Amino acid sequence: MPETTQNPVLIVGSLAYDDLEMPSGIFNNVVGGAATYSSISASLFCPVRLVGVVGNDFPEAVLSDLRRRGVDTAGVEHAEGKTFRWHGRYSADLSSRTTLDTQLNVFADFRPKIPDTFQNSPFVLLGNIHPALQLEVLAQIEKPKLVVADTMNFWIAGEPKLLGEVLNKIDLLVINDEEARELSGIHNLVKAAADIRKRGPKHLIIKRGEYGALFFDAAGVFFAPGYPLEDVMDPTGAGDSFAGGLVGYIACAQNLAHPTMRRAIYFGSALGSFCVEGIGPRRLLDITRAEVQKRMTAFMELVETGGLVDFP
Amino acid sequence: MPETTQNPVLIVGSLAYDDLEMPSGIFNNVVGGAATYSSISASLFCPVRLVGVVGNDFPEAVLSDLRRRGVDTAGVEHAEGKTFRWHGRYSADLSSRTTLDTQLNVFADFRPKIPDTFQNSPFVLLGNIHPALQLEVLAQIEKPKLVVADTMNFWIAGEPKLLGEVLNKIDLLVINDEEARELSGIHNLVKAAADIRKRGPKHLIIKRGEYGALFFDAAGVFFAPGYPLEDVMDPTGAGDSFAGGLVGYIACAQNLAHPTMRRAIYFGSALGSFCVEGIGPRRLLDITRAEVQKRMTAFMELVETGGLVDFP
């Protein structure tokens, strides 16, 4: 389906089942996981190589659907036992969520094995997994053009040394504002970004949920808002969809220049905006490139300034 | 000082003393008030006509400084007693504040009297005062081209009928996201905006604090972010500085077309960003038009998209 330049993206992370308690109802056994959302998004732009682990209970139909989208699932290990499962409850306004239960299951012993055919992947997205595993992935691949990584407060607090090694080996870190503050120990995001960029990643995206995302590199600062939606159904996977769209766009554009990054962030935001319009990845699985293009046009209308900065 | 087209803005609202407990220290007797901040901002664009009330304790030097900036203070009533006083404490990260004490003082009996020479003002900014007083102001003026109003949760909950009358008579409402939700009873801001616009104001700005502002009119939706600052000193008055810069720009541009509004919102945001860089209105009182222009340029660099929406 995607009309791509043949630049594959390697995505490593979780495949999961989610049990979601939403204001709109309870949804059990929803296929989820960061790598699932990221792969679906990235597949609109480029071929995807997926590495993760599932248990006996994971539906083969989901994997074959991913393959139809251009996702190579040769790196998805089938382990004995149950798939990683997350049970969460969202607040009435969807602005916060509580984890009710996490069952690591087969994910507990996950050691990513990068298939031989994946080792030359020019673009890599390291999902939010233990920094030791992120390092294992990097040790198995050959000179990628760009490595993007996600992380979370749990690793920032618990594995600062290993995470520091990861930061030293990646090009772009994608985290949210609270994570940026915890990682740097600095509340102000502009100062926090400068601190984090000194630790390794030359490019940094700080996500601000529905508000949008800040991007920092040597050329300056960029801000892109979230798309204001009328109907938000389920925020699960929005950040992962963002990251998948972002890295997919970059793989397709084949460069990391500052203007490319600005557009990549908007494409990522567009994918994130579709994700939240349905329960789990439902909406994301439906969208076409034409719909993405249409939302990008709406996005540009939303932020168009006219460019005049003079006093009238 | 301002090079203006001679389109004056009438600003009605509070002049105050603030006692501010900030993470950076305690600052007492800081001159404040919504109309003060708005007037200083608007005066960079156009002549301002200020209507409010002060007590015996308010420094004449502040009023004469305002006059030097092109603010006509003929509408500032000097009443027997003390000036309105607000005492607040900010959280360590400046993201929230607690009111420790409010002394209405001379503001308790304030009934705005619009001087004869002010009654033909083409542009009007109604600060956040009792909706009954906002209506009294409107009854005293002749066919303005644009009326902008602010309000707050206190009036939304306590004076819905009078506030409804105000909404029917104004062109642009400027409120924050929580106020928009309370006013409409709708959490989703896109839907809340549609509801509020049906009640009167054809133009609506929903402020989202440091994140930015959404604008809604018949032509569509617009979003402008807050400027990401390295040093935020004091958020007091930021929203009022935003409103003053906004209405000042509009008065200067002399039209309410959608593209004008987009630029007006950026100019308002620029003024708001200067405001928070100093305690009270200190920084705002220092800035020049050249500095505003420079920040506008930085703002445009922050949000520049390149405009391409095609898949690469």
Side-chain angles (χ1 to χ4, degrees):
Chain A
M1 164 191 171
E3 309 154 26
T4 60
T5 61
Q6 294 297 311
N7 254 328
V9 169
L10 172 66
I11 297 178
V12 184
S14 60
L15 295 94
Y17 270 124
D18 293 335
D19 295 315
L20 305 170
E21 298 191 16
M22 313 299 299
S24 55
I26 290 177
F27 303 87
N28 291 321
N29 301 315
V30 178
V31 169
T36 310
Y37 285 101
S38 295
S39 294
I40 299 167
S41 286
S43 71
L44 281 156
F45 299 87
C46 63
V48 174
R49 296 165 169 180
L50 176 59
V51 171
V53 62
V54 295
N56 313 108
D57 55 349
F58 201 79
E60 187 52 38
V62 170
L63 295 176
S64 55
D65 185 35
L66 286 173
R67 282 191 290 271
R68 268 196 303 277
R69 292 166 188 277
V71 180
D72 187 336
T73 61
V76 178
E77 183 189 338
H78 288 71
E80 200 55 44
K82 285 183 175 176
T83 301
F84 176 55
R85 183 173 283 269
W86 178 74
H87 182 186
R89 181 186 294 146
Y90 282 84
S91 61
D93 63 8
L94 298 173
S95 69
S96 63
R97 68 184 191 188
T98 313
T99 292
L100 300 176
D101 191 25
T102 302
Q103 295 171 21
L104 289 177
N105 298 330
V106 296
F107 203 66
D109 299 315
F110 176 53
R111 299 286 296 270
K113 283 172 277 298
I114 311 302
D116 291 352
T117 53
F118 287 11
Q119 291 173 5
N120 65 350
S121 303
F123 299 93
V124 179
L125 174 58
L126 298 173
N128 168 27
I129 55 178
H130 195 297
L133 300 187
Q134 292 180 323
L135 290 170
E136 284 185 21
V137 172
L138 294 179
Q140 293 175 64
I141 54 176
E142 304 154 12
K143 290 189 192 161
K145 286 188 194 165
L146 176 82
V147 178
V148 183
D150 186 8
T151 191
M152 70 187 292
N153 289 348
F154 188 71
W155 310 125
I156 293 169
E159 296 288 355
K161 196 162 164 294
L162 285 171
L163 183 59
E165 281 183 52
V166 172
L167 293 181
N168 241 314
K169 292 174 193 282
I170 64 173
D171 303 283
L172 169 60
L173 179 67
V174 182
I175 51 180
N176 70 32
D177 40 13
E178 283 322 305
E179 291 157 357
R181 284 169 176 144
E182 188 161 341
L183 179 55
S184 63
I186 300 169
H187 183 81
N188 180 281
L189 293 180
V190 180
K191 289 180 179 167
D195 176 87
I196 292 166
R197 288 183 57 240
K198 277 187 207 145
R199 303 181 190 207
K202 294 285 163 281
H203 306 73
L204 172 66
I205 291 174
I206 300 180
K207 296 178 289 180
R208 311 201 75 185
E210 62 164 320
Y211 298 106
L214 284 161
F215 170 66
F216 300 85
D217 72 0
V221 192
F222 172 60
F223 176 82
Y227 189 79
L229 293 164
E230 279 199 51
D231 292 293
V232 177
M233 288 292 291
D234 175 10
T236 311
D240 304 310
S241 304
F242 170 85
L246 175 93
V247 74
Y249 182 93
I250 292 168
C252 211
Q254 304 192 53
N255 73 76
L256 313 177
H258 186 89
T260 302
M261 293 298 297
R262 290 183 177 228
R263 288 195 281 272
I265 287 165
Y266 267 109
F267 270 95
S269 298
L271 271 296
S273 77
F274 282 114
C275 176
V276 304
E277 287 184 325
I279 296 293
R282 274 184 210 174
R283 178 77 180 106
L284 209 56
L285 287 166
D286 274 348
I287 53 163
T288 61
R289 284 166 65 101
E291 282 178 285
V292 175
Q293 204 95 59
K294 199 173 156 194
R295 180 144 301 167
M296 283 296 290
T297 304
F299 234 140
M300 294 303 109
E301 283 165 10
L302 174 75
V303 298
E304 173 59 39
T305 62
L308 295 187
V309 299
D310 293 334
F311 278 79
Chain B
M1 162 192 170
E3 310 152 26
T4 61
T5 61
Q6 293 298 308
N7 254 330
V9 169
L10 172 66
I11 295 177
V12 185
S14 60
L15 296 94
Y17 270 124
D18 293 334
D19 295 316
L20 305 171
E21 299 191 15
M22 313 299 299
S24 55
I26 290 176
F27 302 87
N28 291 321
N29 301 314
V30 177
V31 169
T36 309
Y37 284 102
S38 295
S39 293
I40 298 167
S41 286
S43 72
L44 281 156
F45 298 87
C46 63
V48 175
R49 296 163 170 180
L50 177 58
V51 172
V53 62
V54 295
N56 314 109
D57 54 349
F58 201 78
E60 187 53 37
V62 170
L63 295 176
S64 55
D65 184 36
L66 286 174
R67 283 191 290 272
R68 269 195 303 277
R69 292 165 189 277
V71 179
D72 187 336
T73 62
V76 178
E77 183 188 338
H78 288 71
E80 201 55 45
K82 284 184 176 175
T83 301
F84 174 56
R85 184 174 281 269
W86 178 73
H87 182 186
R89 180 186 296 147
Y90 283 84
S91 61
D93 63 7
L94 297 172
S95 69
S96 63
R97 67 186 191 186
T98 312
T99 293
L100 300 175
D101 191 25
T102 303
Q103 295 171 18
L104 289 177
N105 298 330
V106 297
F107 202 66
D109 300 315
F110 176 54
R111 300 285 297 269
K113 284 172 278 296
I114 311 302
D116 291 353
T117 53
F118 287 11
Q119 292 172 7
N120 64 352
S121 303
F123 298 93
V124 180
L125 174 58
L126 299 173
N128 168 27
I129 54 177
H130 195 296
L133 300 186
Q134 293 179 321
L135 290 169
E136 285 185 19
V137 171
L138 294 179
Q140 294 174 64
I141 54 176
E142 304 154 11
K143 289 187 191 159
K145 285 188 194 164
L146 176 82
V147 178
V148 183
D150 186 9
T151 191
M152 69 189 290
N153 289 347
F154 189 69
W155 310 124
I156 293 169
E159 297 288 354
K161 198 163 163 294
L162 284 170
L163 183 59
E165 282 183 51
V166 171
L167 293 181
N168 241 313
K169 292 175 193 281
I170 64 172
D171 304 285
L172 169 60
L173 179 68
V174 181
I175 52 180
N176 69 33
D177 40 13
E178 283 320 305
E179 291 157 356
R181 286 170 173 142
E182 188 160 342
L183 179 55
S184 63
I186 299 169
H187 183 81
N188 180 279
L189 292 179
V190 179
K191 289 180 179 167
D195 175 88
I196 293 167
R197 289 182 58 239
K198 277 187 206 145
R199 302 179 190 209
K202 293 287 164 280
H203 305 73
L204 172 66
I205 290 174
I206 299 180
K207 296 179 288 181
R208 313 202 75 184
E210 61 165 321
Y211 298 107
L214 283 160
F215 171 66
F216 301 86
D217 71 0
V221 192
F222 172 61
F223 177 82
Y227 189 80
L229 292 165
E230 277 200 52
D231 293 292
V232 177
M233 288 292 291
D234 174 12
T236 311
D240 305 310
S241 303
F242 170 84
L246 174 92
V247 74
Y249 182 94
I250 293 168
C252 211
Q254 302 192 57
N255 72 76
L256 311 177
H258 186 89
T260 302
M261 293 298 298
R262 288 182 178 229
R263 288 195 281 271
I265 287 165
Y266 267 109
F267 270 95
S269 297
L271 271 296
S273 76
F274 283 114
C275 177
V276 304
E277 287 184 324
I279 297 293
R282 274 184 210 175
R283 178 76 182 106
L284 210 54
L285 287 165
D286 274 349
I287 52 162
T288 61
R289 283 166 64 100
E291 282 179 286
V292 175
Q293 204 95 58
K294 199 173 156 194
R295 180 143 303 169
M296 283 295 290
T297 304
F299 234 140
M300 294 304 109
E301 284 166 9
L302 175 74
V303 299
E304 173 59 37
T305 61
L308 295 186
V309 299
D310 293 334
F311 278 78

